[in-house]
Amino acid sequence: MAVPLSYNFRNLLVRKTTTLMTSLGVALTVAVLLGIGTLVEGLRTSLSSGGNPLHLIVMRQGSTAELVSITTREQYDVLKVNDQVAQLEGQPMISHEVLSVVNLPLRDDPESVSNISVRGLSEIGIKMREGAELVEGRWFRPGMREMVVGAGTHGVRAGTSVGDRIYFGRDDWEVVGVFSAGRSPFNSEIWVDSDLAGTDLGRGSSRSSILIRAFDAGAASALQNVVAEDQRLGLEAEREDEYYAKQMQSAEPVRMLGVFVAIIMAVGSCFAAMNTMFAAVANRAREIGVLRLLGFSRFSILSSFMLESLMLSLMGGILGCLLVLPLNGIEGRMGNWVTFAETTFSFTLTPAYVGIGLAFAAAMGVAGGFIPARMAANKEVLHSLGDR
């Protein structure tokens, strides 16, 4: 027969101090793991939100990012008349865009300067970003040195309020609006007129990339093949969602560091749990003997102590999840090694990560409790009753 659960609960409550300290160690370990997880998930959500599977980003062959790519007006004109390109109000949904960066300081720390992406695009380019909506001011006018700033950048960078002026290219540009693009990476950008930006940057009629909306998934694949097979173009097309997914490599070192620290802390937490359970076994030697005399098997004793260790670690796991919960939704920012600019995102704690945290805590409880539980189960009855 099994040892009643009330026995394990009572023993945890009797040893309040050791229970609390051991659970706290597990909680901190889980909190570190989930803290890094919420950061990575927030960045992943932000980047995946920017990708439309019907959009293709066309860049020069071999280019890893728009910032280092060059596409010409002639290449744009060739792709513009392809019958696989979707139409909007009789106009092809294709945008010839230029990408650059501008240095801006933090609102509360003028010494902290970072690169912010400046995207030159046309009116059709704005309409292709269906999630973007104006929240303050107005959109820029073609041919004017005017800017609209993403809400993520506007929230943290100085000089980005409506009416402010930012030096970019050859002159000052006036901020005339603020737009929100949800959680997408466009929220971290500044948008300007493509033609004027190209002139100010000395690009002439050349731009960085070409964004194309295909009719459907089949048309998108056909367009990719057309671009790849036409050697005269010297271009390559990539689905927009895949392009942004590759940018997750920026978060990979952070994720690996977080996992490494969590594993090191987990080893310490396992030893803490083991030490606590060894002490419990030593202090309850007579209880173990009495349980054996009452007819409880060695397996029942093993299961009971394993369960107690598991309960101890799960308490810590739940506490760790509660410690990380306030991070959910907090705005963060990280340098993007692909775009060489800052990306803003929101820390995101998902049910899946909560499950991972609790499973991690349970694993620590099992690892830390097995040896003490086995020792308790192997105690001889008479020897246990004779311990003081």
Side-chain angles (χ1 to χ4, degrees):
M1 55 182 172
V3 179
L5 283 174
S6 58
Y7 172 76
N8 301 111
F9 278 114
R10 188 183 70 250
N11 281 299
L12 289 175
L13 292 175
V14 168
R15 296 176 286 112
K16 294 185 181 67
T17 302
T18 54
T19 296
L20 179 61
M21 295 304 294
T22 304
S23 295
L24 185 60
V26 174
L28 292 176
T29 303
V30 171
V32 169
L33 180 67
L34 292 188
I36 297 298
T38 58
L39 184 154
V40 173
E41 180 63 20
L43 188 59
R44 187 198 66 78
T45 301
S46 172
L47 293 174
S48 63
S49 298
N52 186 326
L54 296 182
H55 282 180
L56 296 177
I57 295 180
V58 182
M59 297 183 292
R60 181 179 59 185
Q61 285 183 352
S63 297
T64 57
E66 292 176 90
L67 191 64
V68 295
S69 171
I70 297 176
T71 58
T72 66
R73 181 73 187 188
E74 291 74 18
Q75 293 167 331
Y76 167 77
D77 289 337
V78 169
L79 296 174
K80 185 177 180 179
V81 296
N82 190 289
D83 57 9
Q84 303 293 338
V85 178
Q87 302 282 317
L88 178 66
E89 299 174 354
Q91 296 294 321
M93 299 185 73
I94 180 170
S95 179
H96 204 190
E97 302 182 353
V98 60
L99 195 71
S100 187
V101 296
V102 64
N103 289 322
L104 293 176
L106 283 173
R107 288 187 180 274
D108 54 359
D109 184 8
E111 299 298 322
S112 181
V113 178
S114 182
N115 284 343
I116 304 299
S117 292
V118 180
R119 181 179 297 276
L121 70 174
S122 60
E123 183 179 358
I124 192 68
I126 295 176
K127 291 179 179 179
M128 290 173 71
R129 274 79 177 195
E130 296 171 344
E133 58 182 18
L134 202 64
V135 296
E136 185 181 349
R138 59 175 174 82
W139 293 109
F140 62 80
R141 293 173 294 182
M144 302 295 291
R145 285 190 172 85
E146 296 177 343
M147 295 177 157
V148 288
V149 181
T153 295
H154 170 70
V156 297
R157 292 293 164 182
T160 57
S161 298
V162 174
D164 288 340
R165 302 188 72 85
I166 298 174
Y167 186 84
F168 172 68
R170 299 178 181 176
D171 207 342
D172 287 337
W173 295 60
E174 182 183 0
V175 177
V176 297
V178 177
F179 70 93
S180 173
R183 291 187 170 185
S184 75
F186 304 125
N187 232 27
S188 309
E189 296 183 348
I190 296 174
W191 289 353
V192 299
D193 176 59
S194 177
D195 290 336
L196 192 54
T199 300
D200 272 21
L201 294 171
R203 294 288 192 99
S205 62
S206 298
R207 301 289 182 266
S208 301
S209 63
I210 303 169
L211 182 68
I212 305 174
R213 167 83 63 86
F215 276 115
D216 52 31
S221 297
L223 272 170
Q224 278 186 285
N225 292 333
V226 167
V227 173
E229 293 171 2
D230 193 337
Q231 298 301 315
R232 297 170 302 169
L233 293 175
L235 301 173
E236 57 187 18
E238 186 173 16
R239 277 175 36 185
E240 189 181 36
D241 54 350
E242 295 177 349
Y243 172 76
Y244 283 110
K246 289 180 179 179
Q247 296 183 22
M248 273 301 295
Q249 62 182 285
S250 300
E252 191 62 19
V254 178
R255 187 183 71 83
M256 294 301 295
L257 177 62
V259 171
F260 176 74
V261 172
I263 290 175
I264 296 299
M265 293 182 66
V267 173
S269 296
C270 286
F271 278 110
M274 190 179 298
N275 184 62
T276 300
M277 295 308 297
F278 268 128
V281 171
N283 292 333
R284 288 149 57 190
R286 288 193 174 188
E287 291 181 25
I288 295 171
V290 171
L291 289 172
R292 292 297 312 282
L293 284 176
L294 291 175
F296 291 99
S297 65
R298 293 181 186 274
F299 180 75
S300 296
I301 302 297
L302 174 68
S303 300
S304 178
F305 275 83
M306 283 293 293
L307 180 61
E308 193 168 315
S309 178
L310 188 60
M311 290 165 55
L312 188 67
S313 60
L314 284 177
M315 287 170 55
I318 293 172
L319 179 58
C321 292
L322 292 176
L323 290 175
V324 174
L325 190 58
L327 286 178
N328 192 44
I330 292 179
E331 294 290 330
R333 59 185 187 276
M334 176 179 288
N336 190 318
W337 296 351
V338 177
T339 63
F340 305 103
E342 182 178 86
T343 299
T344 59
F345 61 93
S346 296
F347 284 83
T348 305
L349 180 62
T350 63
Y353 270 101
V354 172
I356 290 173
L358 293 178
F360 193 52
M364 286 188 281
V366 171
F370 179 74
I371 295 177
R374 185 176 180 183
M375 187 181 75
N378 290 335
K379 275 184 172 292
E380 297 294 335
V381 176
L382 293 179
H383 183 269
S384 298
L385 292 174
D387 285 345
R388 296 187 181 275

